[in-house]
Amino acid sequence: MSEDWTYDITQVKTTEIKEPLGYNSSEINVEDSKARRQDINRMKENKAWGLVTGQGRSIFTTFISSFFIGTNVSMFTIGIYSYNIYNALNTLFNVNKSFKLYESPEYSLLTYKILYIILSFIHIALIGYKINKMGFLPMNAADWASFAQQPIQERNIMNLNFR
């Protein structure tokens, strides 16, 4: 009782699909005009500026979080500051990769990149200052005292004269 079902594509009638109600394809102009390119470039520049302000917001976030964390040393603070250092260095080394989507031959992103790099250095300096205040960086002379060579002085503890 099994019947073979076959479907022949050659016998299908092609009908024209009508446009939906309210849609008119003749009104859509797809040509790339100068005004459209300027709008796209302006939008790309705004996105690039958004990257720069995002870096500034990350500085502010790091500042607030380091204020609330305090200067106590625990595994959580070490983890948080390690993550902050990693992110700050990662953003510094991937500047061109971050701005790759917004590049165009019609305008320059050099000022945005310079601001981004400056804010990245400020971010690293803020993290370094906080780590120094926690005592992780050897900046004092006492931190290097074990490496200093001290002269050994001979002392006479007891002066015994046997005659």
Side-chain angles (χ1 to χ4, degrees), residues 79-99:
I80 289 170
Y81 284 113
S82 299
Y83 180 72
N84 284 339
I85 289 171
Y86 173 76
N87 280 341
L89 292 175
N90 195 20
T91 57
L92 185 64
F93 291 132
N94 293 323
V95 174
N96 288 330
K97 191 176 181 181
S98 299
F99 286 95

Side-chain angles (χ1 to χ4, degrees), residues 1 17 23 34 57 61 81 106 115 161:
M1 295 246 195
I17 299 173
Y23 178 77
K34 185 176 181 180
R57 284 191 299 266
T61 304
Y81 284 113
E106 297 176 7
L115 283 172
N161 291 327

Side-chain angles (χ1 to χ4, degrees), residues 26 41 57 65 69 72-73 88 91 98 101 107 163:
S26 63
N41 289 336
R57 284 191 299 266
S65 68
I69 288 172
N72 62 346
V73 178
T91 57
S98 299
L101 292 173
Y107 60 88
R163 290 186 194 197

Side-chain angles (χ1 to χ4, degrees), residues 6-119:
T6 59
Y7 187 73
D8 191 11
I9 297 176
T10 58
Q11 295 178 357
V12 175
K13 295 180 184 177
T14 58
T15 60
E16 193 172 315
I17 299 173
K18 295 181 182 178
E19 293 178 352
L21 185 62
Y23 178 77
N24 190 0
S25 63
S26 63
E27 292 180 5
I28 297 176
N29 189 3
V30 187
E31 70 183 48
D32 193 23
S33 66
K34 185 176 181 180
R36 177 172 160 76
R37 279 184 285 146
Q38 286 177 348
D39 286 343
I40 290 172
N41 289 336
R42 192 177 319 115
M43 187 171 44
K44 284 182 178 181
E45 282 186 277
N46 287 339
K47 291 286 189 179
W49 180 248
L51 273 177
V52 174
T53 57
Q55 186 66 14
R57 284 191 299 266
S58 71
I59 291 171
F60 180 73
T61 304
T62 302
F63 176 74
I64 293 296
S65 68
S66 67
F67 175 76
F68 283 114
I69 288 172
T71 57
N72 62 346
V73 178
S74 68
M75 65 182 206
F76 297 111
T77 56
I78 292 171
I80 289 170
Y81 284 113
S82 299
Y83 180 72
N84 284 339
I85 289 171
Y86 173 76
N87 280 341
L89 292 175
N90 195 20
T91 57
L92 185 64
F93 291 132
N94 293 323
V95 174
N96 288 330
K97 191 176 181 181
S98 299
F99 286 95
K100 186 78 171 166
L101 292 173
Y102 311 119
E103 289 180 351
S104 176
E106 297 176 7
Y107 60 88
S108 175
L109 291 176
L110 184 64
T111 55
Y112 297 116
K113 289 180 181 181
I114 290 172
L115 283 172
Y116 191 80
I117 290 169
I118 289 170
L119 289 174

